[in-house]
C-alpha cells in the first residue's frame, strides 16, 4: 500500500468520523492495524509520508535517559500536531483554529516539552501557520486540503512509531539505552521480534553502552486527554490539559491579572491560631512569629486592679470609719447613696 492510498484511506476515515459528529484524530482500528504492520516492516515509510520524520523522532528522544516516558510524551506531541491539522482540514471556517497560542498549556508542556522550537515552527508552517508575534502563530495562507491530510497522516504514523518502539522496549525489558541505538535497531529489523533480538545482541556484546547525551529540556507531560479549547488558567492543571487555543496567559508564564484572594484578618487568625475549622498548629518548641513565648496565668478579676496608683483604696467600712483625709463634705455625699 503506497502513501497515496494511505492518504486517501486516512481522509475517508476523518470524514466518516465527522459525519458521526466527531472531529478528531483518526481512530479507525482497521487503518491503525494496517499502518502499524506496514511501519513495523518498513521503517522508511516515515520518510515517504514526512520528509523530516527521522529528525522529529531523533529530536524528541535526544538525551533522554529513560526512553519509555520520553516515547509516551513524544506520542502525545504528535497527536496534538495531528489534531491541529485535522481541525484545519475538517473545520476551516472555525476562527479559533486559525491561531495557536504559544503560551498555552498544550504548546508549552506537550509540544515544547518534547520537540525543539525550530521543528515545531516547521511543522506548523506546513499547515499554513506563520509567526505573528512572540505569543502566537496565525494562519496567513491556508494550506491545501491534501497537504493538511498529508501532515496529519505523517503525525499519525509517527505516533504509531512511538508505540511500536515502546512495545520493543517492553519486550526487551529495559528502556535505559541511547536513542540512536533504538532507532538503528528499528531501521535494521523487519518486525518487533527481530528488533528485540538485535538489541539483545547489542547489549550482550557491549558491557556498557555509551551514556545518553545531556537532556535538552524537561519531558512532556502526558496521561491526560487532549483539549484544544480549555483555557489553561480556568483549571488548576495547565500541565495536564493540552490546549493550543487558550485566550489568556498560563499561570506559569505570567502573573495573574487580578490579585490573589487574601482572607480577612479574623479568618487568618482562625487559621493560624486554631480557632474553629482546620487550623495550623504550632509546635511547642517553635511558637509562631510574634507570639509570646509564655503568658502568666490570670488570677481572679478585681476592681482594685483598675485603681490608679497612689489613689486611696475604698472598702465597705462604716462611714465613721472612712479615712479622715476625705473630708466631711465627701462623707455627707456618700451617706445618701449608701
Amino acid at each position: 500500500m503506497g502513501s497515496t492510498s494511505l492518504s486517501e484511506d486516512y481522509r475517508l476515515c476523518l470524514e466518516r468520523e465527522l459525519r458521526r459528529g466527531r472531529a478528531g484524530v483518526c481512530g479507525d482500528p482497521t487503518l491503525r492495524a494496517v499502518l502499524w504492520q506496514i511501519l513495523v516492516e518498513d521503517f522508511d515509510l516515515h520518510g515517504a509520508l514526512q520528509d523530516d520524520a527521522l529528525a522529529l523522532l531523533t529530536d524528541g528522544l535526544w538525551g533522554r535517559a529513560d526512553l519509555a516516558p520520553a516515547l509516551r510524551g513524544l506520542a502525545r506531541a504528535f497527536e496534538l500536531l495531528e489534531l491541529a491539522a485535522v481541525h484545519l482540514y475538517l473545520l476551516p471556517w472555525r476562527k479559533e483554529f486559525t491561531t495557536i497560542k504559544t503560551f498555552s498549556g498544550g504548546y508549552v508542556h506537550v509540544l515544547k516539552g518534547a520537540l525543539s522550537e525550530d521543528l515545531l515552527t516547521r511543522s506548523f508552517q506546513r499547515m499554513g501557520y506563520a509567526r505573528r508575534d512572540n505569543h502566537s502563530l496565525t494562519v496567513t495562507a491556508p494550506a491545501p486540503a491534501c497537504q493538511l491530510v498529508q501532515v496529519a497522516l505523517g503525525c499519525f504514523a509517527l505516533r504509531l512509531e512511538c508505540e511500536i518502539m515502546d512495545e520493543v522496549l517492553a519486550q526487551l525489558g529495559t528502556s535505559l539505552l541511547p536513542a540512536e541505538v533504538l532507532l538503528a535497531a528499528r531501521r535494521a529489523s523487519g518486525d518487533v521480534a527481530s528488533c528485540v533480538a538485535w538489541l539483545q545482541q547489542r547489549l550482550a556484546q557491549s558491557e556498557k553502552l555509551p551514556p545518553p547525551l545531556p537532556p535538552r529540556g524537561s519531558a512532556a507531560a502526558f496521561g491526560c486527554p487532549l483539549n484544544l479549547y480549555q483555557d489553561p488558567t480556568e483549571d488548576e492543571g495547565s500541565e495536564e490539559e493540552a490546549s493550543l487555543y487558550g485566550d489568556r496567559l498560563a499561570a506559569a508564564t505570567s502573573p495573574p491579572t487580578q490579585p490573589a484572594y487574601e482572607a480577612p484578618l479574623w479568618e487568618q487568625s482562625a487559621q493560624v491560631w486554631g480557632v474553629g475549622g482546620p487550623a495550623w498548629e504550632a509546635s511547642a518548641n517553635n511558637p509562631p512569629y510574634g507570639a509570646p513565648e509564655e503568658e502568666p496565668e490570670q488570677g481572679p478579676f478585681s476592681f482594685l486592679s483598675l485603681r490608679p496608683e497612689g489613689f486611696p483604696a475604698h472598702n465597705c467600712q462604716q462611714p465613721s470609719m472612712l479615712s479622715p483625709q476625705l473630708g466631711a463634705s465627701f462623707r455627707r455625699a456618700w451617706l445618701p447613696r449608701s
Side-chain angles (χ1 to χ4, degrees):
M1 181 181 294
S3 60
T4 303
S5 179
L6 282 173
S7 297
E8 182 64 17
D9 292 342
Y10 182 83
R11 181 187 66 82
L12 293 175
C13 171
L14 295 180
E15 295 179 356
R16 182 168 58 250
E17 291 296 317
L18 181 62
R19 289 193 294 270
R20 296 173 181 172
R22 178 179 177 274
V25 298
C26 179
D28 184 83
T30 302
L31 181 58
R32 175 188 173 87
V34 170
L35 185 54
W36 174 291
Q37 188 60 38
I38 295 175
L39 291 173
V40 167
E41 299 175 356
D42 184 12
F43 181 86
D44 292 335
L45 177 63
H46 289 293
L49 298 177
Q50 195 164 333
D51 55 2
D52 61 348
L54 184 59
L56 288 166
L57 288 172
T58 304
D59 182 73
L61 299 177
W62 180 273
R64 307 298 189 186
D66 191 348
L67 295 184
L71 283 169
R72 292 192 291 270
L74 190 57
R76 281 181 52 80
F78 290 140
E79 184 178 2
L80 196 57
L81 289 173
E82 178 188 357
L83 187 60
V86 168
H87 279 163
L88 289 179
Y89 170 70
L90 293 178
L91 307 169
W93 59 87
R94 296 280 293 270
K95 296 297 184 182
E96 63 267 31
F97 298 149
T98 61
T99 300
I100 300 295
K101 302 293 186 181
T102 57
F103 52 74
S104 64
Y107 196 96
V108 172
H109 301 299
V110 177
L111 295 182
K112 289 189 68 175
L115 296 168
S116 59
E117 188 70 36
D118 57 338
L119 287 176
L120 287 176
T121 302
R122 190 185 309 174
S123 298
F124 280 113
Q125 284 176 346
R126 292 195 183 96
M127 306 178 200
Y129 288 98
R131 182 166 293 280
R132 183 175 65 181
D133 50 40
N134 293 331
H135 306 295
S136 60
L137 303 170
T138 305
V139 174
T140 54
C146 60
Q147 181 172 330
L148 292 173
V149 171
Q150 190 69 25
V151 171
L153 175 59
C155 294
F156 178 50
L158 289 171
R159 178 158 58 98
L160 291 182
E161 181 60 44
C162 291
E163 297 177 9
I164 293 172
M165 289 191 287
D166 191 54
E167 176 65 23
V168 169
L169 295 177
Q171 294 189 21
L172 182 63
T174 180
S175 58
L176 303 178
L177 68 161
E180 59 270 20
V181 175
L182 177 60
L183 291 172
R186 276 289 294 124
R187 301 191 70 176
S189 57
D191 53 41
V192 172
S194 62
C195 184
V196 173
W198 193 96
L199 288 171
Q200 288 174 339
Q201 183 179 8
R202 175 68 184 272
L203 291 174
Q205 290 176 352
S206 58
E207 296 181 358
K208 184 178 180 181
L209 289 172
L213 296 171
R216 185 192 65 249
S218 60
F222 52 85
C224 60
L226 293 173
N227 184 354
L228 295 182
Y229 308 99
Q230 180 166 352
D231 190 326
T233 58
E234 291 178 1
D235 183 28
E236 181 65 26
S238 59
E239 294 188 8
E240 286 79 10
E241 293 293 343
S243 171
L244 290 180
Y245 312 114
D247 293 332
R248 297 192 297 273
L249 289 176
T253 58
S254 173
T257 55
Q258 296 181 353
Y261 169 76
E262 184 175 355
L265 292 177
W266 56 88
E267 292 185 12
Q268 296 180 25
S269 300
Q271 294 170 0
V272 173
W273 300 111
V275 183
W280 171 80
E281 296 182 359
S283 64
N285 296 329
N286 296 303
Y289 176 77
E293 295 184 359
E294 184 177 359
E295 294 184 2
E297 185 178 356
Q298 298 288 342
F301 176 78
S302 172
F303 283 102
L304 296 178
S305 62
L306 302 179
R307 73 175 185 269
E309 294 185 2
F311 194 82
H314 294 278
N315 54 30
C316 296
Q317 297 175 349
Q318 295 296 326
S320 59
M321 301 295 296
L322 291 175
S323 179
Q325 64 266 26
L326 293 179
S329 61
F330 186 85
R331 289 198 298 271
R332 286 194 301 269
W334 183 85
L335 287 172
R337 287 200 303 270
S338 63

